[in-house]
Structure formats: C-alpha cells, structure tokens
Amino acid sequence: MPNLKNLSPPADGYRGRFAPSPTGPLHGGSLVAALGSWLDARKNQGKWLLRIEDLDTPRCIPGIDQEILRQLLACGLSWDEEPTWQSKHQERYQKALERLNALQTIYSCTCSRQTIANVLEAQGVITPRNQEIVYPGTCRPKEVQLNQGFSKQVSGTAWRLALPPDLTIEFEDLALGKQDQDLNREVGDFVLRRRDAVFTYQLAVVVDDADQGITHIVRGQDLLSNTARQIYLQNILGYPTPSYLHLPLVLDEHGEKLSKQTLASAIQTENEQQALHELRKAAIHLGLRNLPDGKAISIAEWLLAATQAWNRKVTFF
Ligand code: GLU
Ligand code: ZN
C-alpha cells in the first residue's frame, strides 16, 4: 500500500470496483477504466474489487478472465478482496427477479428481435445506429399480474421490467454533472432475463454492486446511458445508489470507441517497461500531467505519483 500522506480526506468506507467482461483481453480503453477506478479507490484509501462479468456466455472467451487478471497485476493494479465471477452467483439474480415478480413489476415477453423491428417499422419509428431500440410494449399486459406463469420459468421467454409512466431519472455524475434520462422515451421496458435464460447486465450489475457494498462506480462513458436504468432498479429493489463518475472514452483513428468489436489490440504487458508505457498512455487520457517518465522508476512508484496527481485534480475532464 503506497504512502498516501497529504491527500485530501478520503470518502468514508469507500468501495470501488472494476468489472470487465471476459470477451477479450484488456485494451487501451479498458485500461483507462481500470486505472481510473483503481486511482480513485487508492486516493480515498478505499477498497478496489475485481468482478468478472461473465454471464453472457456466448460472448465470453474461455481463459480470457485469467489473462485479464495477469494484465492487471502486470500493471500493478492489485485488488483488495478475492475476485468474483458472476457466473457463480446465478441464484442471486434469480432471487432479485423473484422479488421484482412479487412486486408485480415484471412480465414475460416472447418477441424476437425481428418482431420488435417489424412493430417499430409499422409504427414508423426509425432507430439511428448506435441508439437503443425502444421496446414498443408489445407483450406488456394491461395490469402486470402477479405470478403470471413466472414460477414455470418458461424457456424461450424473456422477462422485462414494466416501467411506470413519467419516469425521468436524474443523477449527478462527478465528472459530467447533472444527468437525466426519460426511461420510457429513451429505453422502454428493458430485459432482465433474456430468452436464452441469461440474466442481463442491468440486473446483474445492480445486484452485485449492492451485494458487494460498492459505494463508488468509476467506469467508461460508454456505460453512462445504462446508469438511469440501474438507479431505477436500485430504487425498486431497495438498494442504496452509489456515486458515479464516467471517464472519457478512448477513440480510435476513425473516432470509434475502442472495443473488442472494433478489434482494439490488447495492451502489452510482457515486461515492466511495456506495462509502464501502457499506464502512461492511460494516465494522459485521464488528464494526469507531469507524471515521472524516467526509465528508472518502478510501477509502484509511478502508481503512487499517479494517485497523488489524481488527488490534486479539481475538475474532471
Ligand atoms: N462489464 C461491463 C463492461 O465490461 C462493465 C460494467 C460496469 O462497469 O458497470 O462493459
Ligand atoms: Zn414481447
């Protein structure tokens, strides 16, 4: 643990996390999220947890979780509690879904992507690329009925959350300021368990953040548009809402977000020099200036300087 004298007072009982999906090794963009969340936890003398979000099995690549752990350790980003894997906690998500069912807030949906596309087309709704498809409510019953077949767990049926009308969620992002989202207009009744029985990111992340007592979420801006959904789920499940800080995205030369889909290359961490080079790039992206760049510095020393630089930051991005 580095010496953290002269830092501003830490947030009480800070618990942060990094939650990669094992769909590819860490790239420059995911390292920014890892480093940003790690620095914020260290600055606050808090805990930094690692959670592997491996529920979407068709997209996960076997063995990549171990590669991510190795990459993080090579960069000196060590975690404070045993890492967790979402695939080992299916019963947690099932319980949360059952609670929501008891609250009469979910309903089953058998629409395929194509059915939804057809309904939207017939309504003349055009969804721009990269924008959320707003579910048109095709399967939504007039009154969401208690136990409408939920216990049978019909396979081939998705479970959606029924949103009440006029649901605008407001929150303060520590970097971006006031945010709001009208969930009906921008998202619609969203899926909590998919037709292939996979619990969705929205449900699992909310259950785990609460279960692990996460107080601060620091992650990439690509996830900003999910936050209102997560806050609403926290509200109905009676969980506290953590604070949020969304980090600037790393874009490639075409202005696209670095991601596994755009085949972003893995960070190179075979030796200390390579790892330091990757860390420096991530730090520049986080707006950290005047960090040591001499060859003689160790990763631990560099991370300490970066923590102090993060602490001196008055405004984010
Ligand atoms: N597993 C998500 C991802 O890799 C991130 C989850 C989160 O930080 O909320 O995109
Ligand atoms: Zn449907």
Side-chain angles (χ1 to χ4, degrees), residues 17-23 51-53 86 201 205 209 217-220 222-223 230 257 260:
R17 72 350 177 239
F18 176 54
S21 305
T23 52
R51 176 168 75 228
I52 304 294
E53 302 209 324
Q86 287 190 321
Y201 161 61
V205 80
D209 284 334
I217 293 181
V218 179
R219 62 186 180 190
D222 52 328
L223 296 163
Q230 293 169 16
K257 149 179 117 94
K260 289 138 200 167

Side-chain angles (χ1 to χ4, degrees), residues 136-211:
T138 322
C139 295
R140 184 175 174 147
K142 286 237 158 23
E143 303 266 330
V144 179
Q145 304 272 322
L146 182 61
N147 291 330
Q148 40 135 5
F150 179 76
S151 54
K152 287 193 224 124
Q153 295 285 314
V154 198
S155 69
T157 295
W159 289 88
R160 289 185 183 271
L161 186 68
L163 300 176
D166 301 324
L167 184 63
T168 297
I169 300 289
E170 293 177 0
F171 64 98
E172 179 86 22
D173 182 273
L174 292 178
L176 305 167
K178 276 210 181 328
Q179 304 291 314
D180 60 68
Q181 192 179 44
D182 176 339
L183 281 179
N184 287 291
R185 201 167 54 80
E186 294 175 51
V187 179
D189 293 346
F190 54 95
V191 175
L192 301 178
R193 207 187 70 154
R194 297 192 327 212
R195 294 204 302 158
D196 59 1
V198 171
F199 293 103
T200 60
Y201 161 61
Q202 308 296 350
L203 179 68
V205 80
V206 162
V207 169
D208 283 337
D209 284 334
D211 195 80

Side-chain angles (χ1 to χ4, degrees), residues 5-316:
K5 269 190 234 141
N6 306 325
L7 297 187
S8 58
D12 244 7
Y14 184 115
R15 289 172 71 79
R17 72 350 177 239
F18 176 54
S21 305
T23 52
L26 295 184
H27 51 70
S30 33
L31 183 62
V32 165
L35 179 62
S37 58
W38 189 92
L39 289 174
D40 204 53
R42 287 293 174 266
K43 162 195 154 174
N44 285 288
Q45 297 168 39
K47 297 256 192 277
W48 189 70
L49 277 60
L50 176 62
R51 176 168 75 228
I52 304 294
E53 302 209 324
D54 58 347
L55 288 180
D56 193 355
T57 33
R59 293 182 57 234
C60 294
I61 302 175
I64 285 292
D65 51 350
Q66 295 304 327
E67 175 62 14
I68 292 174
L69 266 62
R70 267 195 300 276
Q71 289 175 306
L72 289 170
L73 289 179
C75 290
L77 304 177
S78 52
W79 42 89
D80 298 307
E81 292 179 8
E82 280 298 303
T84 57
W85 276 257
Q86 287 190 321
S87 56
K88 295 184 189 154
H89 299 289
Q90 306 278 349
E91 70 300 334
R92 271 188 208 162
Y93 317 123
Q94 181 62 29
K95 272 209 187 97
L97 200 62
E98 280 163 18
R99 275 184 55 207
L100 293 168
N101 184 53
L103 293 167
Q104 307 190 34
T105 53
I106 59 172
Y107 63 90
S108 63
C109 164
T110 49
C111 299
S112 63
R113 254 172 218 280
Q114 193 55 51
T115 326
I116 297 174
N118 293 346
V119 171
L120 290 173
E121 200 188 316
Q123 293 177 348
V125 179
I126 297 159
T127 308
R129 200 172 87 88
N130 290 335
Q131 236 177 336
E132 196 81 42
I133 291 175
V134 178
Y135 180 64
T138 322
C139 295
R140 184 175 174 147
K142 286 237 158 23
E143 303 266 330
V144 179
Q145 304 272 322
L146 182 61
N147 291 330
Q148 40 135 5
F150 179 76
S151 54
K152 287 193 224 124
Q153 295 285 314
V154 198
S155 69
T157 295
W159 289 88
R160 289 185 183 271
L161 186 68
L163 300 176
D166 301 324
L167 184 63
T168 297
I169 300 289
E170 293 177 0
F171 64 98
E172 179 86 22
D173 182 273
L174 292 178
L176 305 167
K178 276 210 181 328
Q179 304 291 314
D180 60 68
Q181 192 179 44
D182 176 339
L183 281 179
N184 287 291
R185 201 167 54 80
E186 294 175 51
V187 179
D189 293 346
F190 54 95
V191 175
L192 301 178
R193 207 187 70 154
R194 297 192 327 212
R195 294 204 302 158
D196 59 1
V198 171
F199 293 103
T200 60
Y201 161 61
Q202 308 296 350
L203 179 68
V205 80
V206 162
V207 169
D208 283 337
D209 284 334
D211 195 80
Q212 298 182 295
I214 301 301
T215 59
H216 290 70
I217 293 181
V218 179
R219 62 186 180 190
Q221 253 178 52
D222 52 328
L223 296 163
L224 180 67
S225 65
N226 296 280
T227 309
R229 264 170 276 191
Q230 293 169 16
I231 292 176
Y232 179 61
L233 271 176
Q234 288 153 6
N235 290 348
I236 46 181
L237 286 164
Y239 300 153
T241 290
S243 71
Y244 288 93
L245 193 169
H246 287 91
L247 304 169
L249 287 186
V250 181
L251 304 177
D252 65 14
E253 65 270 29
H254 312 293
E256 301 260 359
K257 149 179 117 94
L258 278 198
S259 72
K260 289 138 200 167
Q261 285 87 336
T262 58
L263 302 176
S265 47
I267 53 165
Q268 296 301 304
T269 55
E270 266 84 84
N271 57 50
E272 279 233 340
Q273 280 317 311
Q274 285 184 344
L276 265 174
H277 179 69
E278 299 287 2
L279 283 167
R280 285 194 178 106
K281 279 198 288 187
I284 289 170
H285 195 77
L286 289 169
L288 300 178
R289 304 277 173 255
N290 306 323
L291 288 175
D293 58 4
K295 283 217 171 2
I297 193 163
S298 72
I299 288 184
E301 286 166 324
W302 184 89
L303 283 170
L304 176 55
T307 305
Q308 284 158 346
W310 184 258
N311 186 54
R312 283 193 301 271
K313 248 172 126 55
V314 208
T315 52
F316 289 103

